Amino acid sequence: MEKLGRSKLFMALALAVSLGGCGSLIPSASGNASPSPDRSAVSPAKPGSAPRRVASAPMAIVPNPRDAACISDLSNTGAQFSALPDSYTGEGCSTLGTVQLSALNGDASQFGVSNIGPVQCRTAKVFSAWARFGVDRAARQLLGSPLARIETMGSYSCRNIAGSNRRSAHATAGAIDVSGFVLADGRRISLKQDWDGGTHAEREFLRVVHKSACKRFGTVLGPDYNRAHEDHFHLEGTGPRFCR
């Protein structure tokens, strides 16, 4: 019986020592549980293998200083957008320093932008100013209604200028093609239908916004340029001026 008692005492002491090594599982003297290991950075591993490290959060997009300044300027206009990661998508094609626009500010309300993809921040900043001061104000003054949406035919596209071997500004997300405008009262003004076929006020509106674009963008091409642009304005960057 004495030997049996000693055996039980020995087992109890061994169990206490064993549990003493699991400090993360046993409450401390203060009554609070000891810190548990950080499980956000280590995934479960199979027996006999090393733990696999995993990212606890997605990497942030860190723009270069010039793009960061542009993004700050664009944000100050009240535009809603997301900064996009840089990418190279083909020979002469890339989306560097681009954003995804979702809404722009007018004088009294916001309006949407449809069907637009990645666009260089510098082009987006010019586009935002043109949309507010050149389009929304013209819609109010000439058509009696604020702007509700700008309709586009896209921005980024890895392609050449039609009939040439040179890459289009669309290949680097430096241009936006605008096809029409929707007003808050429900009217839709399209370049294809209304450049020549709209009412006097609608035709004047489209020519005013075209002229305004020519003062802000580098290259502006419209229905009077050629048949390829009869249904949209091609609005390109901030380079040398060319307006047709």
Side-chain angles (χ1 to χ4, degrees), residues 146-166:
L147 189 63
R149 185 173 69 253
I150 296 179
E151 297 183 333
T152 85
M153 299 170 70
S155 50
Y156 170 75
S157 178
C158 185
R159 68 172 188 257
N160 292 342
I161 297 172
S164 79
N165 293 322
R166 292 188 296 118

Side-chain angles (χ1 to χ4, degrees), residues 46-128:
K46 295 180 180 179
S49 64
R52 179 170 58 87
R53 304 293 295 185
V54 296
S56 58
M59 291 183 63
I61 299 170
V62 182
N64 66 44
R66 184 180 66 176
D67 293 333
C70 178
I71 287 173
S72 177
D73 291 343
L74 183 60
S75 180
N76 288 337
T77 69
Q80 294 184 7
F81 64 93
S82 300
L84 300 176
D86 290 347
S87 66
Y88 294 89
T89 53
E91 185 177 352
C93 298
S94 62
T95 55
L96 307 180
T98 60
V99 297
Q100 178 75 58
L101 293 171
S102 56
L104 300 172
N105 251 11
D107 284 339
S109 60
Q110 283 197 328
F111 45 85
V113 184
S114 66
N115 197 42
I116 194 168
V119 61
Q120 289 179 16
C121 180
R122 289 168 292 167
T123 300
K125 189 169 71 168
V126 178
F127 184 74
S128 175

Side-chain angles (χ1 to χ4, degrees), residues 124-194:
K125 189 169 71 168
V126 178
F127 184 74
S128 175
W130 170 73
R132 178 175 183 175
F133 302 115
V135 181
D136 186 48
R137 288 186 179 179
R140 292 170 184 271
Q141 293 170 9
L142 300 174
L143 300 175
S145 176
L147 189 63
R149 185 173 69 253
I150 296 179
E151 297 183 333
T152 85
M153 299 170 70
S155 50
Y156 170 75
S157 178
C158 185
R159 68 172 188 257
N160 292 342
I161 297 172
S164 79
N165 293 322
R166 292 188 296 118
R167 285 299 195 194
S168 165
H170 288 288
T172 53
I176 303 170
D177 288 342
V178 172
S179 58
F181 309 91
V182 177
L183 307 184
D185 64 10
R187 278 179 290 172
R188 180 177 180 271
I189 316 300
S190 75
L191 273 79
K192 187 173 181 62
Q193 298 295 328
D194 300 314

